[in-house]
């Protein structure tokens, strides 16, 4: 197992966010985490990253605790929720991707040509050509910026990729393209992917496994089984619009939009 | 050699101005990108409390101000990072309290403290050899910190959450940055004064921000701005018989406004009629 959570409980500002969560994430598997707002999805990722300390329970990432000695942060790529940033922030696309190399470079060391080449390879992987590397990050469209941040998360040592609502704010075409890209990268680079989203239909079509979370784990398994089960109704209420749509075969032909 | 540069005190003043300008230029890079301008103003004003403690205890006021400003900077950082108060609220409270504390303490000091005016408004012409050494040592220490942790600090300024996730010790580096800011403020107080010291912590990088799209250019412009403002301000203050600290700040402001008018960002926006970001 790449990531294991045993009886993890988290309380933030007096609110119980996660309760006795038990989860295993296997190597090379693309897992989608779904759940309503406030379900603890982002907190779960932060627990795996070691940014939030559980009240109780045990977390291991690559066999080590996520924070402190022996942590394996340098093999984890993370794409946080899309945030507004200063569009005039003075970094080029390549500079932004280079930031993902910081854990590989290490403290008190300076980036070398090898690191710059690795950053360029990451840009190639997400389909951004060489010319764009020298443009200011703020000059890019929202979809292109997400690709740059995905490239930043793909440093050469990355084995685990954590994505937090990566397609929020993108149009439908850009969303589909993003998911397809992540799926292809996961297979090509043999990555373990954990993706948090509200976009049930699309993630069901791309993920190997789904986790239904609402403070507790309601279900964990293959998308087809999860989408057909009544657990979604319990999670999101019954205000679900369902329609048949091609391309969601792993969800037994059902696509669920919230 | 120019007539004004023939005097020993002018030579010391010029060296002090150039070193302080360069140092402020470097520090301002992170002040502007991390939006710490108000923190800088708060720390510089709180230096009065440190100076007052030094005067009362008979300790070098600059050393007392160094310790005091560093503590105030950490307190601002601690309170705002814990989320107990907004950062600007914490600064507003701490710097007013520290200044009031300084004024109250100084009123207790026996007699009139002649140097108070120079601390408030700066006196670059009275810079001593010891002040110069203190300035250079502080400058080297601060520059070394910023250089050694440059990539991590830039990452924090751009995306603190992603930096934390990548294992960058964001908390420690933030306090390191605040400490650098406090040290820079204290050595600049002698030149620009408590009231004006924060100006050079903002204007150099703000000028670079107007002119450059990349951080390398911004850093170079900020360093050059600090040096040019200090040297030009000192020369003008000599020629026009004006207070040196205020003249340096006016030169810095003139450079900023020139950059603001000539800014390629703004000109491009005017051409494309895009609303401001």
């Amino acid at each position: 197992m790449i990531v294991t959570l045993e009886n993890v409980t988290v309380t933030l500002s007096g609110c119980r966010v996660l309760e006795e969560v038990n989860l295993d994430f296997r190597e090379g598997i693309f897992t989608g985490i779904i759940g309503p707002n406030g379900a603890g999805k982002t907190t779960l990722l932060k627990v795996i990253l070691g940014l939030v300390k559980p009240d109780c329970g045990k977390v291991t990432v690559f066999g080590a605790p996520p924070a402190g000695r022996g942590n394996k942060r340098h093999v984890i790529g993370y794409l946080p929720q899309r945030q507004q940033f200063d569009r005039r922030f003075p970094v080029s696309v390549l500079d932004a991707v280079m930031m993902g190399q910081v854990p590989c470079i290490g403290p008190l060391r300076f980036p070398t040509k090898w690191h710059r080449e690795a950053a360029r390879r990451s840009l190639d992987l997400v389909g951004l050509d060489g010319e764009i590397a020298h443009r200011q990050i703020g000059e890019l469209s929202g979809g292109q910026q997400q690709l740059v941040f995905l490239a930043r998360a793909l440093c050469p040592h990355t084995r685990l990729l954590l994505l937090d609502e990566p397609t929020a704010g993108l149009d439908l075409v850009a969303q589909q393209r993003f998911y397809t890209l992540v799926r292809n990268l996961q297979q090509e680079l043999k990555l373990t992917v954990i993706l948090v989203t509200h976009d049930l239909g699309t993630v069901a079509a791309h993920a190997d496994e789904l986790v239904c979370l609402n403070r507790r784990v309601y279900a964990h398994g293959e998308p087809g089984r999860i989408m057909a089960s009544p657990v979604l109704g319990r999670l999101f209420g019954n205000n679900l619009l369902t329609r048949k749509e091609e391309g969601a075969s792993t969800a037994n032909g059902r696509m669920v939009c919230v | 050699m120019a007539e004004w540069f023939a005097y020993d005190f002018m030579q010391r003043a010029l060296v002090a101005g150039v070193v302080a300008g360069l140092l402020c230029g470097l520090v301002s890079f992170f002040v502007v990108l991390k939006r710490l301008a108000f923190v800088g103003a708060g720390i510089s004003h709180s230096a009065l409390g440190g100076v007052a403690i030094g005067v009362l205890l008979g300790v070098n006021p600059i050393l007392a101000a160094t310790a005091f400003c560093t503590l105030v900077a950490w307190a601002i950082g601690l309170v705002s990072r814990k989320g107990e108060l907004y950062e600007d609220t914490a600064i507003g409270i701490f710097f007013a309290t520290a200044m009031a504390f300084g004024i109250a303490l100084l009123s207790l000091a026996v007699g009139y403290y002649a140097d108070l005016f120079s601390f408030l408004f700066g006196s670059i012409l009275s810079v001593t050899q010891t002040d110069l050494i203190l300035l250079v040592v502080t400058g080297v220490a601060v520059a070394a910190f910023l250089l050694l942790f440059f990539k991590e600090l830039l990452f924090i300024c751009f995306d603190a959450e992603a930096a934390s996730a990548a294992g960058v010790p964001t908390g420690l580096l933030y306090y390191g940055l605040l400490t650098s800011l406090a040290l820079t403020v204290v050595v600049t107080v002698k030149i620009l004064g408590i009231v004006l010291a924060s100006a050079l912590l903002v204007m150099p990088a703000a000028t670079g921000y107007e002119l450059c799209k990349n951080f390398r250019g911004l850093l170079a412009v900020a360093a050059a701005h600090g040096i040019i403002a200090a040297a030009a301000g000192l020369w003008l203050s000599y020629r026009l018989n004006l207070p040196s600290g205020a003249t340096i700040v006016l030169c810095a402001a003139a450079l900023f406004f020139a950059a603001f008018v000539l800014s390629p960002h703004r000109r491009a926006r005017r051409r494309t009629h895009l609303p401001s970001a």
Side-chain angles (χ1 to χ4, degrees), chain B residues 18-274:
Chain B
V18 166
V19 174
L22 177 62
L23 179 62
C24 286
L26 295 178
V27 174
S28 73
F29 177 85
F30 291 106
V31 168
V32 167
L33 293 187
K34 188 71 184 141
R35 307 198 171 184
L36 296 173
F38 193 37
V39 179
I43 294 172
S44 67
H45 282 74
S46 66
L48 187 65
V51 168
I53 291 172
V55 170
L56 266 192
L57 298 180
V59 182
N60 182 334
I62 288 291
L63 290 178
T66 303
F68 191 75
C69 284
T70 306
L71 285 176
V72 169
W74 289 350
I76 291 170
L78 187 70
V79 172
S80 53
R81 271 183 72 87
K82 291 271 180 195
E84 287 166 18
L85 285 175
Y86 289 121
E87 191 173 69
D88 55 349
T89 307
I91 297 161
I93 291 167
F94 276 106
F95 100 73
T97 308
M99 275 201 92
F101 178 67
I103 293 165
L105 278 189
L106 284 171
S107 73
L108 297 176
V110 182
Y112 173 71
Y113 183 56
D115 267 355
L116 181 60
F117 196 78
S118 76
F119 277 112
L120 282 175
F121 300 105
S123 65
I124 195 170
L125 300 181
S126 68
V127 164
T128 63
Q129 201 69 27
T130 312
D131 293 331
L132 255 187
I133 291 168
L134 186 67
L135 177 60
V136 171
V137 169
T138 307
V140 169
V142 169
F145 168 76
L146 297 181
L147 184 70
L148 288 173
F149 294 101
F150 188 86
K151 64 182 187 305
E152 287 87 355
L153 291 168
L154 187 67
F155 198 177
I156 292 170
C157 291
F158 184 60
D159 189 341
E161 190 187 349
S164 275
V168 174
T170 49
L172 269 179
L173 289 175
Y174 180 66
Y175 285 109
L177 195 55
L178 287 178
T179 308
S180 300
L181 194 52
L183 293 175
T184 306
V185 161
V186 172
V187 291
T188 313
V189 156
K190 182 79 183 181
I191 293 160
L192 295 177
I194 286 166
V195 179
L196 296 174
S198 57
L200 276 196
L201 291 172
V202 178
M203 288 189 203
T207 304
Y209 198 74
E210 291 300 320
L211 298 176
C212 306
K213 283 184 168 185
N214 193 271
F215 69 87
R216 295 168 188 86
L218 196 162
L219 194 59
V221 169
H225 174 284
I227 294 170
I228 292 168
L234 185 62
W235 180 75
L236 273 177
S237 72
Y238 174 82
R239 299 291 297 178
L240 305 174
N241 196 24
L242 292 170
S244 53
T247 315
I248 289 171
V249 172
L250 288 174
C251 282
L255 289 171
F256 168 75
F257 285 115
F260 186 82
V261 171
L262 298 172
S263 167
H265 305 292
R266 237 165 279 285
R267 287 162 77 181
R269 213 161 43 225
R270 275 198 294 270
R271 273 200 303 274
T272 52
H273 304 290
L274 283 175

Side-chain angles (χ1 to χ4, degrees), chain A residues 141-179:
Chain A
S141 68
Q144 286 175 318
Q145 284 171 6
Q146 278 306 79
L147 291 178
V148 172
F149 296 137
L150 178 62
R152 184 181 68 183
L154 291 171
C155 105
H157 304 299
T158 302
R159 289 174 59 199
L160 171 63
L161 191 58
L162 306 178
L163 309 168
D164 193 357
E165 297 188 33
T167 56
L170 302 186
D171 63 45
L172 283 173
V173 176
Q175 285 183 21
Q176 282 293 341
R177 207 179 293 151
F178 191 91
Y179 277 111

